[in-house]
Amino acid sequence: MKRNIFVLTVLALLSLAVAACAASPSVPAAAPPSTAASQTTAGTTDIGTNMEQLAALAKQEGQVISYGMSDDWVNLGKIFANIEKQYGIKHTDTDMTSAEQITHLLAEKNAPVMDIADIGFDFVGTLIDNDLAASYKNSQWDTLPENFRDPEGRWAVAYWGAISFLVNTDLVKNVPQTWDDLLKPEYKDMVCSRDPRISTYATGAVLAAAYAHGGGEDNVQPGIEWFKQLRDSGNLRQGVVLNVASVQKGECPISLVYDFDGFAKRDATGLPLEVVIPKDGTVGMLFAEYVSAVAPHPNAARVANDYLFSDEAQRLIAEAYAHPARKVELPAEVTAKLLPESAYANLHFPKSLPTFSAAIKQIVDGWNAVVEGTATTSSAPAATAPPAVAASGPSEELIAAAKGEGEIVSYGLPDDWVNYGGIWEIMSSKYGIGHKDTDMSSGEIIAALKAESAAPVADITDLGLNFAKLVNDEGLSQPYKNSHWDDIPDYAKDPDGRWAAAYWGAIAFLVNTDIVKNVPQTWEDLLKPEYKDMVCMKDPRESATANMVVLGAAFAHGGDETNPQPGLDFFKKMQEEGILRPVSPGTSQIQKGECPIALFWDFDGLSKKKELGMNFDVVIPKDGSVAGLYIQFVTKGAPHPNAAKLLTEIEFSDEGQIAYANGFVHPIRSSVQLPAELQSQFPPAAAYEVVKFPKDFVALDAAAQKISDGWAELVQ
């Protein structure tokens, strides 16, 4: 949601995608394979066709379209560049998870789009069961291990990665070497993984832990039990999405990843990251390539498939740290960058597709049992005794209905607003539901919802509490009480379930301590002559944030949402004393030092402090401040109502509340405990004791109008 939210002007898609960012060194183009088992139409085999004939047909098609084969994944950018150079075949990719591939292929059977794809081995069974792959045996077929290829030619493994530990040695001094090492108290709240129900990373980790504890593909229970121990110990970090950003920010001191992805993250971030293959056992996770059964460009797809298994492409894959499926001689400089073979002494590959698929299902079912029977843990102590939680989460019926809808459309919820990126990651990775957002101000959202009432577009949005009255009056929402409803304070929810606030922020001072040596601690401090022409804020007639700044000053001077006048009187003094600087405190102005003291939300200040890396203090004024609540609701007539309801379940769950906190806002549910490292990035809890919560949203709406009108008189 845009930071500059207009208050008064109302204007007219079960597995996570993983991405590796590896360098692509320049290599000479490869000679084309001499022969291949080729096809002239998808799904039929014509053994013995000369490769030159196949290449000619592919060149006529002129393009190849892939799913899940982005340029930054295992050097595929270089590989497809070579294919274009040699055969004149242009490449287009849509990056998506293995689960999303299956969904798209099923939906597109009568209007096919994709030609070739890269898919996790755990989804190959679904691929075959639905007859989605053509039979094609590439020119290197006989050089592949038997367990790396389908007897009927419908898929073949091109590369593999081993489950490993990625350790930030700046944060972890004693590098763990085994799975049981990770249970030690010194790694409290340090281990990041993903949900095994929806992530191949995490599913592989559970299987690896099973092998390390006497189990394996035919007995995954030891791995499930070990992960339950890790979770119950508090060592498994909750609420952090494992990706490049979280590793780079130090939020994941120890990550469970593929070895090649770990090396790629090391290269991408420049951090001292060490990749460790656990000595007590790990698994090699396979990635298969296939040609679509209804490929629009079948010959181009076969040429691309052939090249992927050539010596040249297998070497390129190794340059991105993945392990080639075929035995190929690697350049010395590539071998030097990889771990020695001895590190993989206790490595286990899938025994067969049926047994591996069965093991994955058992892991998913087992993890469901763990989640249902174990409460979420956290290292941070609760400030007060938590109230009882109403329910454990969304119903299976709601989940199934939401998955059936397949997508959700939002207004004003971009990734960079209070970590909605983390919320959307949960939605996508856990439930496979795609997301589209249009960023707009609150006024624009209201206008759009009203204008589209006959043909609704958006399913869900997020507005300031001061818009709650308008939402009710205009009938813009539909009632839904999430499973944590009883854990939400009464002032932060509509009695009829038409909206509820998931988080809040407090008005604060952001002080550049390189410029301001005496940091103001109260509103009255700001009136001192030393702060002349130093204080920046937006116009309260145009900015919800600035409107709440005035209300914060009102609370500090005896007012409240029913009486904002003390705030207006204070800012009249500020203007008369020349304290206010006529500069809007945008990121650029703050970064350039043009706004030594900025007045806005604490979460904005804390985010800028972290993002800009400057010397800032975020101060909650000791004489009083105000909390700003943001409400979420399912829109009336939402095209995807079940997906929207499921999103509210995520927003108010422990996982969602912690995700919000990673955007520096405060969870509305007091029972949620933040990880200690995250909590330490906020001002101390005592600083927020002076923060007042407006409890009359009708009066708050009126106060916004009074502040706007009063400011107009003030600046005349």
Side-chain angles (χ1 to χ4, degrees), residues 114-363:
M114 186 272 283
D115 300 306
I116 190 170
D118 177 298
I119 193 168
F121 199 61
D122 47 338
F123 278 89
V124 169
T126 305
L127 183 81
I128 300 307
D129 290 344
N130 286 280
D131 296 321
L132 298 175
S135 178
Y136 176 65
K137 297 182 179 180
N138 63 69
S139 59
Q140 301 294 336
W141 193 260
D142 292 340
T143 69
L144 293 169
E146 287 190 5
N147 59 325
F148 278 23
R149 63 188 188 186
D150 174 50
E152 298 181 27
R154 294 167 295 182
W155 56 265
V157 172
Y159 62 94
W160 59 274
I163 296 297
S164 67
F165 309 157
L166 181 63
V167 184
N168 186 326
T169 55
D170 274 349
L171 304 175
V172 180
K173 300 308 177 185
N174 298 316
V175 177
Q177 300 295 320
T178 67
W179 290 98
D180 281 347
D181 281 349
L182 295 182
L183 296 175
K184 294 178 179 178
E186 65 187 285
Y187 304 125
K188 187 90 168 178
D189 195 34
M190 281 192 173
V191 183
C192 288
S193 187
R194 290 175 172 160
D195 190 321
R197 296 169 297 181
I198 43 84
S199 166
T200 304
Y201 270 100
T203 304
V206 174
L207 185 56
Y211 273 109
H213 294 89
E217 202 165 293
D218 53 352
N219 178 19
V220 301
Q221 193 59 36
I224 294 170
E225 292 174 354
W226 184 89
F227 263 90
K228 185 177 184 298
Q229 282 184 270
L230 184 71
R231 176 175 169 156
D232 291 349
S233 72
N235 288 12
L236 185 63
R237 172 162 283 196
Q238 305 291 316
V240 176
V241 178
L242 175 53
N243 54 26
V244 174
S246 58
V247 172
Q248 188 164 23
K249 290 186 289 186
E251 295 172 351
C252 291
I254 303 171
S255 307
L256 305 183
V257 300
Y258 301 122
D259 53 350
F260 64 81
D261 192 49
F263 285 122
K265 284 182 169 64
R266 180 196 64 188
D267 291 354
T269 64
L271 292 172
L273 301 175
E274 183 175 337
V275 176
V276 177
I277 307 299
K279 294 180 179 180
D280 44 353
T282 192
V283 294
M285 298 295 284
L286 310 181
F287 293 85
E289 318 306 311
Y290 66 94
V291 174
S292 170
V294 289
H297 313 101
N299 298 294
R302 293 174 183 86
V303 167
N305 186 280
D306 254 77
Y307 184 78
L308 278 163
F309 288 87
S310 69
D311 288 2
E312 185 64 31
Q314 293 280 285
R315 292 191 186 103
L316 287 172
I317 287 171
E319 287 180 6
Y321 304 108
H323 303 266
R326 295 178 51 238
K327 290 184 178 181
V328 294
E329 185 175 347
L330 301 179
E333 61 271 19
V334 173
T335 303
K337 295 167 63 177
L338 304 176
L339 292 175
E341 289 188 12
S342 59
Y344 299 92
N346 205 351
L347 175 71
H348 304 269
F349 283 114
K351 297 177 181 178
S352 71
L353 181 57
T355 57
F356 182 80
S357 299
I360 296 302
K361 184 180 185 304
Q362 291 164 11
I363 289 171

Side-chain angles (χ1 to χ4, degrees), residues 461-484:
T461 190
D462 177 312
L463 300 168
L465 181 63
N466 53 298
F467 282 96
K469 180 179 183 297
L470 191 152
V471 170
N472 287 355
D473 291 348
E474 297 288 344
L476 299 178
S477 68
Q478 59 177 285
Y480 178 70
K481 295 183 179 181
N482 64 74
S483 60
H484 297 280

Side-chain angles (χ1 to χ4, degrees), residues 660-681:
Y660 276 130
N662 275 279
F664 295 111
V665 291
H666 306 264
I668 197 66
R669 291 178 48 227
S670 61
S671 60
V672 175
Q673 303 173 30
L674 302 185
E677 190 274 335
L678 176 57
Q679 185 71 66
S680 69
Q681 299 179 51

Side-chain angles (χ1 to χ4, degrees), residues 431-465:
Y431 302 111
I433 296 174
H435 163 242
K436 296 177 183 176
D437 181 72
T438 300
D439 192 15
M440 54 177 72
S441 71
S442 294
E444 291 170 326
I445 291 169
I446 295 294
L449 294 180
K450 293 171 68 175
E452 297 165 356
S453 59
V457 175
D459 301 302
I460 198 161
T461 190
D462 177 312
L463 300 168
L465 181 63

Side-chain angles (χ1 to χ4, degrees), residues 491-506:
Y491 61 82
K493 62 187 179 186
D494 175 67
D496 296 324
R498 292 173 289 185
W499 51 262
Y503 61 90
W504 59 275

